[in-house]
Amino acid sequence: MDQVLIVGGGPVGFTVALILAKRGIPFTLLEGGDKIFDDPRAGTIHPPTLEMFATIGVVDTMLERGITVPNYQYRDRKTGVVADFDLGAIAADTPYPFRLMLEQHNLCYILRDMLKDLGQHEALMEHRVVAVEQDAAGVTAHVESPAGKKTFRGSHIIGCDGGRSQVRKSMNVDFEGFTYPERFLVLSTRHDFRQAGYAYTNYIADPDEWCALFKVPGPDNKGMWRAVFAAAASAPPEVIFEEASVQDRLRRFLDKGSPYEVVHRNLYDVHQRVATRYRDGRMLIAGDAAHINNPLGGMGMNFGLHDAFNLTDKLARVLLDGASDDLFDLYDRQRRTVAQEYLQRQTIENKKNIELKDEAQRAAFHAELRGIAADPVKLRAYLLRVAMIEGVRRAASIV
Ligand SMILES: Cc1cc2nc3c(=O)[nH]c(=O)nc-3n(C[C@H](O)[C@H](O)[C@H](O)COP(=O)(O)OP(=O)(O)OC[C@H]3O[C@@H](n4cnc5c(N)ncnc54)[C@H](O)[C@@H]3O)c2cc1C
């Protein structure tokens, strides 16, 4: 069997790799960086993603290394807790009725380590794909590496190479949507916000300075809190990162009477975009290469992981069982439809709601959330949507 080429060693690329290795499908993974990126990005893993990882024997290690979050809070910055959402309300719908906090690089380390024991593959770091071509028999990736220029040949190529995907650009599809004018600032601190009554996940609404606050395991597994804020488009990073400005921002959020120890400061551009096609012949895209969104709700990586499970199932049917490659069009229909209908809509709404400026609209939204949290039927329906179960079911219903 010809090998498959996987481009990108992020969470989606390593998930595709592990599934292919377990199915006995040979592949080469090409990653441009010299190591797995460990900047603070995804930390939240939703129930259906855990269910999928259970099917390939990864979930137990994830649960051991992550922090289980049975409830999360929606707050108003001035008045406090608006609603406390207990994921126990979806216990009949999933064996994992909680969020798991586990940083995306830790997930990558788990996947990479499991891959080591399986044969018929190579995972090459410092191999940057600069162009991709296809013909009737296969695909060719042109790569730059420390040893010079190389080419790799495969039956198919899966672009898991992030928002600036070279594979997507080689497919010549558009990446439609928009970029927000402001950026998102992530500050990491070891200060324990639990003492002040916060859950392990909190969304804190405010018309002027909203915040999202999470606890992740951190480098020593002793816990690290990440606070996410919007940062003005016009300010240069060095001004946004200034110690006094960072301390002021955290003090305005919660004045603990002494300076915070700020371990990391990171700034991200934020976009809402979906590729116009996920398939072009033998070239396919998944994860951020196919869709990007703002991180409120913790959905982008999860959604990309769902792509990975969906696509590799179809790839295995094509390569191992001789099924028609029309299945790749079904992948495109299923995953692109839910990216537009569900991922984009939900994350755009999450951002709009957390920064609502109109007093009456804000009060109405908060009353709606209180009503949802207090009514088990409404709560279940709401959690099925925000815990990403509805999106997976909707994709499966598309034929
Ligand atoms: C602040 C922040 C918080 C977030 N929080 C969450 C969250 O809680 N939950 C969630 O689900 N999502 C979250 N996300 C989104 C999440 O980080 C992304 O969706 C996720 O990283 C996508 O994974 P990926 O594997 O598709 O792409 P990436 O993680 O971007 O990985 C792509 C890989 O491809 C490599 N690459 C790129 N180009 C090439 C090339 N030409 N050749 C070879 N290799 C290449 C890159 O080096 C990289 O390693 C967050 C994002 C941000 C910015």
Side-chain angles (χ1 to χ4, degrees), residues 77-197:
R77 186 162 168 154
K78 296 186 184 72
T79 59
V81 179
V82 172
D84 197 316
F85 294 103
D86 178 356
L87 278 97
I90 52 169
D93 297 280
T94 172
Y96 308 103
F98 47 80
R99 290 176 168 205
L100 185 76
M101 301 308 294
L102 178 70
E103 299 96 329
Q104 69 179 64
H105 56 270
N106 275 329
L107 174 61
C108 289
Y109 298 155
I110 293 171
L111 298 167
R112 180 198 56 192
D113 291 350
M114 288 186 158
L115 205 50
K116 278 184 191 146
D117 303 329
L118 302 166
Q120 281 202 296
H121 72 267
E122 271 190 309
L124 303 173
M125 308 304 278
E126 295 187 90
H127 279 62
R128 177 158 299 279
V129 172
V130 291
V132 184
E133 295 150 5
Q134 62 178 326
D135 53 54
V139 292
T140 306
H142 299 271
V143 170
E144 286 175 359
S145 77
K149 293 185 176 166
K150 299 183 186 175
T151 57
F152 290 81
R153 190 79 186 146
S155 66
H156 297 84
I157 193 161
I158 307 183
C160 310
D161 46 345
R164 297 195 177 94
S165 172
Q166 183 57 50
V167 177
R168 187 188 67 238
K169 288 173 190 158
S170 306
M171 286 164 60
N172 206 14
V173 301
D174 288 332
F175 206 29
E176 285 178 350
F178 63 91
T179 298
Y180 287 104
E182 70 268 44
R183 288 155 295 168
F184 279 19
L185 170 68
V186 182
L187 301 176
S188 307
T189 171
R190 292 201 176 87
H191 177 72
D192 183 8
F193 289 88
R194 264 305 247 218
Q195 298 161 3

Side-chain angles (χ1 to χ4, degrees), residues 105-308:
H105 56 270
N106 275 329
L107 174 61
C108 289
Y109 298 155
I110 293 171
L111 298 167
R112 180 198 56 192
D113 291 350
M114 288 186 158
L115 205 50
K116 278 184 191 146
D117 303 329
L118 302 166
Q120 281 202 296
H121 72 267
E122 271 190 309
L124 303 173
M125 308 304 278
E126 295 187 90
H127 279 62
R128 177 158 299 279
V129 172
V130 291
V132 184
E133 295 150 5
Q134 62 178 326
D135 53 54
V139 292
T140 306
H142 299 271
V143 170
E144 286 175 359
S145 77
K149 293 185 176 166
K150 299 183 186 175
T151 57
F152 290 81
R153 190 79 186 146
S155 66
H156 297 84
I157 193 161
I158 307 183
C160 310
D161 46 345
R164 297 195 177 94
S165 172
Q166 183 57 50
V167 177
R168 187 188 67 238
K169 288 173 190 158
S170 306
M171 286 164 60
N172 206 14
V173 301
D174 288 332
F175 206 29
E176 285 178 350
F178 63 91
T179 298
Y180 287 104
E182 70 268 44
R183 288 155 295 168
F184 279 19
L185 170 68
V186 182
L187 301 176
S188 307
T189 171
R190 292 201 176 87
H191 177 72
D192 183 8
F193 289 88
R194 264 305 247 218
Q195 298 161 3
Y198 287 89
Y200 285 153
T201 292
N202 311 270
Y203 298 100
I204 302 123
D206 190 73
D208 303 316
E209 198 172 34
W210 57 263
C211 174
L213 183 69
F214 313 90
K215 185 177 182 184
V216 293
D220 54 6
N221 234 20
K222 290 187 179 153
M224 182 77 77
W225 290 78
R226 288 183 187 167
V228 183
F229 299 92
S234 51
E238 55 278 17
V239 172
I240 294 170
F241 290 157
E242 247 170 32
E243 185 62 20
S245 145
V246 161
Q247 291 297 337
D248 276 354
R249 207 185 262 273
L250 287 167
R251 195 170 36 244
R252 282 196 301 274
F253 172 61
L254 179 74
D255 189 353
K256 68 182 183 69
S258 59
Y260 284 85
E261 179 206 8
V262 178
V263 183
H264 301 291
R265 300 144 211 240
N266 292 79
L267 203 54
Y268 299 92
D269 290 328
V270 196
H271 321 264
Q272 302 284 161
R273 293 182 188 275
V274 181
T276 46
R277 286 195 69 203
Y278 286 12
R279 185 231 175 147
D280 177 2
R282 295 170 175 275
M283 300 160 73
L284 297 138
I285 45 174
D288 275 20
H291 45 75
I292 43 177
N293 55 274
N294 84 70
L296 291 170
M299 293 184 166
M301 175 186 73
N302 284 266
F303 208 86
L305 297 170
H306 302 177
D307 295 343

